[in-house]
Amino acid sequence: MKNSDVIKLAHGSGGLLTNRLMRDVVLKYFKDKTVKRLEDSAQLNIESRDIAFTTDSYVIDPIFFPGGDIGKLAICGTVNDLAMQGAIPKHISFSLIIEEGFLLKDLERIIKSASQAAMRAKVRVVCGDTKVVEKSKADKIFITTSGIGIIKIKLGKEKIRIGDKILVSGTIGDHGIAVMNQRLNLGLRANLKSDVAPLNLITNRLLPFKSSIHCMRDPTRGGVASVLNETVDGTRYGIMLREGEIPIKREVIGATDILGIDPLYVANEGKFIAFVAHNVAEKVLKKIKSHPLGKDAAIIGEVVKEPRGVWLKTKIGGVHPLLLLEAEGLPRIC
Amino acid sequence: MKNSDVIKLAHGSGGLLTNRLMRDVVLKYFKDKTVKRLEDSAQLNIESRDIAFTTDSYVIDPIFFPGGDIGKLAICGTVNDLAMQGAIPKHISFSLIIEEGFLLKDLERIIKSASQAAMRAKVRVVCGDTKVVEKSKADKIFITTSGIGIIKIKLGKEKIRIGDKILVSGTIGDHGIAVMNQRLNLGLRANLKSDVAPLNLITNRLLPFKSSIHCMRDPTRGGVASVLNETVDGTRYGIMLREGEIPIKREVIGATDILGIDPLYVANEGKFIAFVAHNVAEKVLKKIKSHPLGKDAAIIGEVVKEPRGVWLKTKIGGVHPLLLLEAEGLPRIC
């Protein structure tokens, strides 16, 4: 390997090498007529007062996994956080912390993948930053993305009503299991692929139902069970899920069986949960299913007055609580 | 040390420990009537279409240094990037990547310092994220902040005119030298303190001069020389600085002498450079000096037709180019 093939500390110095890295790798992909250099600041013209603002850091290991990589994940994750706010995602910031010695070709692969995800999601990467730290002072590469979107539907857990139907946009657990399989060398064959995808491709279609959609959440870290626990926390209602209705791939069930973990606590990166007024739930479901990313969507439960908390009605009829865990006990998967 | 005194992987799991960390450490300081939890997304109401959006990652080593710490730096750095866009800084996102085993009391100290800086700068920390990585997979703590501000003055290097005066808001090199002294154990006594501070406290006062201020830059990574080189890059003018006019503390000159480095390439975190129409430069200078953070401000040069590039006229009358360096060759200081 040549010395010129790897990231050096000087790439993060703000000097000539930083400029070259921006020109030759980053701007090659994040090109936008309005962005001449990817500086740390951008000037935007935003046509609304109602703005969603979001941030997330991505530290996933491995950085490349079946179905995606840390670059695609960082774009989709922030796009999805905006979509969950009922917003149209618009502008993204992209900040890199890279370990000295990181391969330039891997960086290019990540940036290319991020830019393709941004194009697919129709968002602009408008500002960024690159820092390089010494060997073994970071785990290869960390990406922090922030996003700005225009709020089109006012959502929130306070809008949830007893009787609301709970929809999930597709099969659960795909991301976490695909990443664990690769990271832990489980050697599970089968079709284990991350679901990482920009959810605004579906949620933008749901605008006609704006008054009937009360809350949306993407079940990333901690999975469906954790995100539903956060949603009911401090409220006066409960959630009853029906195990038999939850879409999950056979391969994912097989993997979680082997690992001894509950797929309801496994991360997803291309799925969302929606709380929808019961009388239009079927229509919203049909709309979600009309997009390829939502083809496996299902109504998996409803909001109940009692019992409070999150509950699972099993296939054979038992009812069990889904608690918020101390820790998900999984490797870094988002 | 008790097990409960340190950050554990489970603090980043999205489970109970994550919630407790948020409640007991983060929200204790970042409290805001409008922010009940510091979630990864915020809904904002912004009273203008003209928005500045910025991001920066902070990987500074050491994380505590005379005059500040990584938390204060992360807030001020993003506030300053917005101020340099002619914007009033408003909303900040705050994303942490923490190494397993990091001391909770150090985290609390950093969050407290960040929240005090945010209060001083009158910005709201509205969304955040916390990730924990395994021991030795990060260098203690990294912070990425993004910011949203409302643009009040349209600035840009394309507005710079030949004849513009170049102002600096105070002494240069303080931050980089203070950090190097601590990191490299140089043992230089003297009053070496980082200048990290929110520059909007000064720039908000400059709004009355809006049509006469053409461009502002904060000379962080790479210092005054690097930021001026970036400014002239691709333009049809040059910059002539007068060494004798550049404010610099005696202690900083002493330290750079010992280290054999040029203070013009050393990072600042509480200073800005302004390009101002020559006929109002003295008035703007007076306004900057009216704030304690700007008391040492000075006019240090002007924009010239020839020679292009960045030049320094020395005290004894020589003229030397200030080039963009391959690397600043300094440890991580921002």
Side-chain angles (χ1 to χ4, degrees), chain B residues 58-295:
Chain B
Y58 297 87
V59 298
I60 191 167
D61 176 26
I63 54 175
F64 299 105
F65 48 82
D69 58 72
I70 191 169
K72 182 180 182 184
L73 181 64
I75 296 291
C76 293
T78 286
V79 162
N80 294 351
D81 283 342
L82 292 170
M84 294 304 99
Q85 297 284 315
I88 310 262
K90 289 282 184 184
H91 307 286
I92 305 281
S93 71
F94 194 85
S95 198
L96 295 162
I97 297 172
I98 313 175
E99 183 185 14
E100 183 186 13
F102 191 72
L103 290 178
L104 268 169
K105 73 170 174 55
D106 283 347
L107 179 62
E108 182 155 356
R109 190 175 155 198
I110 288 165
I111 300 287
K112 186 177 174 185
S113 162
S115 80
Q116 287 169 341
M119 274 185 278
R120 187 174 178 208
K122 295 194 169 65
V123 291
R124 292 168 57 208
V125 175
V126 293
C127 54
D129 184 37
T130 305
K131 292 282 158 51
V132 180
V133 299
E134 298 85 348
K135 190 95 195 137
S136 84
K137 294 289 191 182
D139 191 12
K140 298 182 274 294
I141 187 167
F142 300 143
I143 303 178
T144 302
T145 41
S146 296
I148 292 177
I150 296 175
I151 297 174
K152 292 291 182 180
I153 319 181
K154 294 271 186 186
L155 300 171
K157 61 193 237 181
E158 71 286 354
K159 299 211 163 185
I160 295 173
R161 295 286 169 265
I162 290 163
D164 278 0
K165 295 291 180 188
I166 298 168
L167 281 66
V168 66
S169 66
T171 56
I172 66 160
D174 301 66
H175 174 75
I177 292 299
V179 170
M180 274 184 271
N181 185 30
Q182 168 124 342
R183 178 169 170 162
L184 305 176
N185 282 311
L186 299 180
L188 301 172
R189 290 176 306 133
N191 185 26
L192 294 173
K193 232 176 100 179
S194 168
D195 59 351
V196 55
L199 291 171
N200 60 336
L201 300 181
I202 306 180
T203 56
N204 286 356
R205 296 183 176 195
L206 301 181
L207 296 179
F209 300 100
K210 57 194 294 181
S211 59
S212 305
I213 297 175
H214 298 151
C215 183
M216 293 197 289
R217 291 285 156 99
D218 57 337
T220 56
R221 193 166 47 164
V224 170
S226 302
V227 85
L228 290 182
N229 266 286
E230 283 161 25
T231 308
V232 299
D233 183 42
T235 66
R236 297 170 163 277
Y237 54 76
I239 285 174
M240 183 66 68
L241 298 183
R242 287 184 304 277
E243 188 186 20
E245 308 295 332
I246 299 172
I248 177 164
K249 292 200 178 103
R250 194 184 301 262
E251 303 91 303
V252 171
I253 295 179
T256 52
D257 264 357
I258 291 169
L259 292 166
I261 56 176
D262 184 339
L264 286 164
Y265 290 88
V266 175
N268 309 274
E269 291 290 351
K271 299 292 153 48
F272 67 94
I273 290 169
F275 293 78
V276 181
H278 64 93
N279 54 328
V280 294
E282 287 291 345
K283 278 186 190 164
V284 172
L285 177 66
K286 202 174 153 196
K287 196 62 158 177
I288 295 173
K289 283 164 101 60
S290 74
H291 193 281
L293 287 175
K295 66 181 167 50

Side-chain angles (χ1 to χ4, degrees), chain A residues 80-200:
Chain A
N80 294 350
D81 284 341
L82 292 170
M84 294 305 99
Q85 297 285 314
I88 310 262
K90 288 283 183 184
H91 307 286
I92 305 281
S93 70
F94 195 86
S95 197
L96 294 162
I97 298 172
I98 313 176
E99 183 185 14
E100 181 187 14
F102 190 74
L103 291 177
L104 268 168
K105 74 172 174 52
D106 283 347
L107 179 62
E108 182 155 356
R109 189 174 154 198
I110 288 165
I111 301 288
K112 185 176 175 185
S113 161
S115 79
Q116 286 169 342
M119 274 186 275
R120 186 174 178 209
K122 295 195 170 62
V123 291
R124 292 167 56 208
V125 174
V126 293
C127 54
D129 184 37
T130 304
K131 293 281 158 48
V132 180
V133 299
E134 298 85 348
K135 189 95 195 140
S136 83
K137 295 288 191 182
D139 191 12
K140 298 183 274 291
I141 186 167
F142 300 143
I143 303 178
T144 302
T145 41
S146 297
I148 292 176
I150 296 174
I151 297 174
K152 292 292 183 180
I153 319 181
K154 294 270 186 185
L155 300 171
K157 61 194 241 181
E158 71 285 355
K159 299 214 163 182
I160 295 173
R161 296 287 169 262
I162 291 162
D164 278 0
K165 296 292 182 186
I166 299 168
L167 281 66
V168 66
S169 67
T171 57
I172 65 160
D174 301 65
H175 174 75
I177 292 299
V179 169
M180 275 184 271
N181 185 31
Q182 169 125 342
R183 177 167 171 162
L184 306 176
N185 282 313
L186 300 179
L188 302 171
R189 290 175 307 135
N191 184 26
L192 293 174
K193 230 175 102 178
S194 167
D195 59 351
V196 55
L199 291 171
N200 61 336

Side-chain angles (χ1 to χ4, degrees), chain A residues 12 16 40 42-44 46 49 51 53-57 85 95 129-131 134 146 221 325 332, chain B residues 12 16 40 42-44 46 49 51 53-57 85 95 129-131 134 137 146 221 325 332:
Chain A
L16 274 178
D40 59 6
Q43 300 191 349
L44 310 173
I46 296 182
R49 284 167 169 264
I51 297 298
F53 183 32
T54 177
T55 193
D56 251 319
S57 287
Q85 297 285 314
S95 197
D129 184 37
T130 304
K131 293 281 158 48
E134 298 85 348
S146 297
R221 191 166 48 163
L325 301 185
R332 286 189 270 138
Chain B
L16 274 178
D40 60 6
Q43 300 191 350
L44 309 174
I46 296 183
R49 284 166 170 265
I51 298 298
F53 183 31
T54 175
T55 193
D56 252 318
S57 287
Q85 297 284 315
S95 198
D129 184 37
T130 305
K131 292 282 158 51
E134 298 85 348
K137 294 289 191 182
S146 296
R221 193 166 47 164
L325 302 185
R332 285 190 269 137

